[in-house]
Amino acid sequence: MGGRRPWWEQVVLIAWRFMKHFTHIITGKSEVERIVLLEHVGSVEGTRRLRHSLERSEKLDAVFKMMIAGNPQTFTAVEEIKRIKALSQISEEGAQRLSSYVGNICDVTRFIQDIERIQSEPYSSENPAHEAKLEELWNLATDSRPREGGRISPEWNRIGFQGKNPASDFRGGGVHALNQLLYFCSTRPGAVHKQLEDLGNAEKWHPWACTGINITSYVTSMLKDRLFDIQLYGLDRETQLQRLNEIYSEVFESFHVDWIKSNPKTVMDFPPVFKKSMEQARRQYKKSSSPI
């Protein structure tokens, strides 16, 4: 999220600050106060408006950074915003909305940190739970087809692992990548079987499971860049995880469509198609996360 803004974003920011100042003069209220006093917008839209106001505010920059990193504290952030923007006399309803919106932002930060912890857990062949998930993945992807050779087998290549032991392929995504592959297989079996059927054509083949692991990395990167916030506000942790897995599945399906449409001749065509598809997904979610 850091780094220098493109020139056009700087122009938009200057124009936004001018309009904010002008509106403050006309209404006598700061932008934050106007946002939390709006009754017709829901919690999600109100949170989005507040988040973009804080993100662009020079006075509230330190508060915003505290909310999206480290150990975000909703009460502390609310009190700081009220102090800096002189909101001590704000109505009870406005104060409740402010606390709710700030809480939504801080909660997504904590969710991202939870995902980072899961991603950092490496796959271990010595862990029975990990091994059970791997076997479940095989069964879901192949309709429980018998696998010759047992646990260490070249047959793992059928679903797109690179070697005889899939454990080595999870080094980049950890158990989180396995969990997302499992979610995709269990919730969209028709799409998974169609993809693997399409990849049975030698020209269209690519390592399906490894592709899924790479998509986990890209989706997690977009999550950290706060491109999914709007879809996670106000949800409990289980529902947030489900929504993230749905996004993963959507990106996976979209990539497969792009791959088939590209009419590949060999797996060497994979890198540019994959890169273009992931960039398109990033643009799509970035647009949806931007203010109206």
Side-chain angles (χ1 to χ4, degrees), residues 202-274:
E203 291 184 349
K204 293 181 171 59
W205 182 88
H206 66 75
W208 180 84
C210 291
T211 298
I213 293 170
N214 283 328
I215 290 175
T216 289
S217 295
Y218 274 86
V219 169
T220 303
S221 173
M222 288 190 279
L223 173 70
K224 293 177 183 178
D225 287 342
R226 313 294 296 221
L227 301 189
F228 307 144
D229 278 32
I230 189 70
Q231 303 190 51
L232 301 174
Y233 291 145
L235 303 179
D236 59 49
R237 192 63 83 241
E238 181 179 352
T239 309
Q240 286 176 329
L241 181 58
Q242 181 181 6
R243 183 63 200 125
L244 179 63
N245 287 337
E246 280 295 309
I247 292 171
Y248 166 86
S249 300
E250 291 162 8
V251 172
F252 206 149
E253 286 206 57
S254 180
F255 163 71
H256 185 73
V257 170
D258 292 341
W259 173 246
I260 297 301
K261 282 184 178 179
S262 72
N263 194 28
K265 299 304 179 185
T266 73
V267 71
M268 298 302 292
D269 295 328
F270 178 86
V273 177
F274 185 80

Side-chain angles (χ1 to χ4, degrees), residues 175-192:
V175 176
H176 182 47
L178 175 56
N179 289 342
Q180 292 202 307
L181 277 169
L182 268 176
Y183 182 90
F184 186 37
C185 287
S186 62
T187 60
R188 307 190 184 198
V192 169

Side-chain angles (χ1 to χ4, degrees), residues 98 126 168 238 280:
L98 177 61
E126 305 301 318
S168 60
E238 181 179 352
Q280 174 59 33

Side-chain angles (χ1 to χ4, degrees), residues 8-288:
W8 57 270
E9 283 192 9
Q10 295 182 52
V11 171
V12 171
L13 181 59
I14 292 171
W16 172 82
R17 285 176 174 162
F18 172 79
M19 287 302 299
K20 185 178 74 165
H21 181 68
F22 179 76
T23 307
H24 190 180
I25 293 174
I26 297 298
T27 65
K29 292 180 173 62
S30 68
E31 184 178 53
V32 170
E33 186 173 4
R34 295 196 302 273
I35 290 171
V36 299
L37 290 180
L38 286 174
E39 298 180 357
H40 68 278
V41 301
S43 175
V44 172
E45 178 58 24
T47 303
R48 174 161 73 167
R49 294 186 184 192
L50 179 66
R51 180 264 172 93
H52 282 287
S53 179
L54 298 178
E55 187 175 20
R56 295 175 173 182
S57 172
E58 293 179 326
K59 292 182 179 179
L60 295 171
D61 181 66
V63 179
F64 179 67
K65 287 179 178 176
M66 181 271 288
M67 292 166 59
I68 63 170
N71 183 26
Q73 299 294 325
T74 300
F75 177 80
T76 301
V78 168
E79 291 304 305
E80 273 297 284
I81 292 170
K82 289 167 67 174
R83 181 185 65 81
I84 294 171
K85 304 305 289 186
L87 300 178
S88 60
Q89 301 302 315
I90 193 172
S91 68
E92 182 178 350
E93 292 81 3
Q96 289 175 348
R97 291 193 194 98
L98 177 61
S99 181
S100 174
Y101 299 165
V102 170
N104 285 342
I105 297 170
C106 292
D107 185 63
V108 171
T109 299
R110 288 187 285 269
F111 173 67
I112 293 171
Q113 293 169 347
D114 288 346
I115 293 300
E116 290 176 328
R117 282 191 287 271
I118 297 172
Q119 189 178 33
S120 67
E121 180 184 357
Y123 182 93
S124 172
S125 300
E126 305 301 318
N127 187 318
H130 295 179
E131 288 287 285
K133 288 182 177 182
L134 184 61
E135 287 298 331
E136 184 182 1
L137 176 65
W138 170 269
N139 290 332
L140 289 172
T142 67
D143 281 333
S144 300
R145 173 193 177 101
R147 186 177 63 250
E148 296 180 8
R151 169 64 177 77
I152 307 299
S153 168
E155 289 236 304
W156 287 107
N157 183 256
R158 287 183 176 274
I159 61 172
F161 287 103
Q162 297 186 94
K164 296 181 179 181
N165 185 358
S168 60
D169 289 324
F170 286 109
R171 289 171 184 165
V175 176
H176 182 47
L178 175 56
N179 289 342
Q180 292 202 307
L181 277 169
L182 268 176
Y183 182 90
F184 186 37
C185 287
S186 62
T187 60
R188 307 190 184 198
V192 169
H193 294 151
K194 179 62 167 62
Q195 288 186 10
L196 290 170
E197 180 183 341
D198 289 344
L199 301 185
N201 181 319
E203 291 184 349
K204 293 181 171 59
W205 182 88
H206 66 75
W208 180 84
C210 291
T211 298
I213 293 170
N214 283 328
I215 290 175
T216 289
S217 295
Y218 274 86
V219 169
T220 303
S221 173
M222 288 190 279
L223 173 70
K224 293 177 183 178
D225 287 342
R226 313 294 296 221
L227 301 189
F228 307 144
D229 278 32
I230 189 70
Q231 303 190 51
L232 301 174
Y233 291 145
L235 303 179
D236 59 49
R237 192 63 83 241
E238 181 179 352
T239 309
Q240 286 176 329
L241 181 58
Q242 181 181 6
R243 183 63 200 125
L244 179 63
N245 287 337
E246 280 295 309
I247 292 171
Y248 166 86
S249 300
E250 291 162 8
V251 172
F252 206 149
E253 286 206 57
S254 180
F255 163 71
H256 185 73
V257 170
D258 292 341
W259 173 246
I260 297 301
K261 282 184 178 179
S262 72
N263 194 28
K265 299 304 179 185
T266 73
V267 71
M268 298 302 292
D269 295 328
F270 178 86
V273 177
F274 185 80
K275 182 174 184 290
K276 183 178 180 180
S277 186
M278 294 304 105
E279 289 174 346
Q280 174 59 33
R282 174 173 284 273
R283 286 193 296 271
Q284 172 191 333
Y285 286 106
K286 184 175 182 179
K287 182 178 180 181
S288 68

